[in-house]
């Protein structure tokens, strides 16, 4: 979990609940990147991580139809 600078933008790196490393580009403000990182960590610990919510709601039948 870190906040790093890439060019003129700040990025965050963290591990999701599935163990995969995730990168997000936030913008030119470091404080905003730190805030978003803390928000993502809170979402992961609370179980409200948006990506997992979408994946858990879809059944195999619906996935196969898509």
């Amino acid at each position: 979990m870190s906040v790093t600078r890439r060019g003129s933008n700040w990025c965050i790196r963290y591990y999701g609940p599935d163990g995969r490393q995730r990168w997000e580009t936030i913008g030119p403000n470091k404080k905003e990147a730190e805030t978003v990182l803390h928000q993502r960590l809170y979402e992961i610990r609370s179980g409200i991580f948006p990506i997992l919510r979408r994946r858990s709601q879809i059944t195999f039948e619906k996935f196969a139809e898509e």
Side-chain angles (χ1 to χ4, degrees):
M1 295 164 286
S2 67
V3 177
T4 57
R5 188 169 187 119
R6 291 183 134 180
S8 62
N9 290 323
W10 288 90
C11 300
I12 59 173
R13 182 182 59 89
Y14 58 93
Y15 290 92
D18 54 356
R20 299 173 98 183
Q21 179 175 304
R22 302 186 184 277
W23 283 87
E24 285 186 47
T25 303
I26 305 302
N29 190 342
K30 181 179 181 181
K31 187 69 175 172
E32 183 180 352
E34 291 172 346
T35 303
V36 172
L37 176 62
H38 292 295
Q39 180 182 4
R40 293 292 182 265
L41 295 176
Y42 171 76
E43 291 172 352
I44 291 168
R45 290 183 183 128
S46 301
I48 57 172
F49 194 61
I51 294 172
L52 291 182
R53 232 184 335 181
R54 271 184 285 163
R55 288 183 185 168
S56 64
Q57 291 176 353
I58 192 167
T59 62
F60 181 76
E61 182 179 2
K62 289 181 183 178
F63 178 74
E65 289 174 2
E66 292 178 7

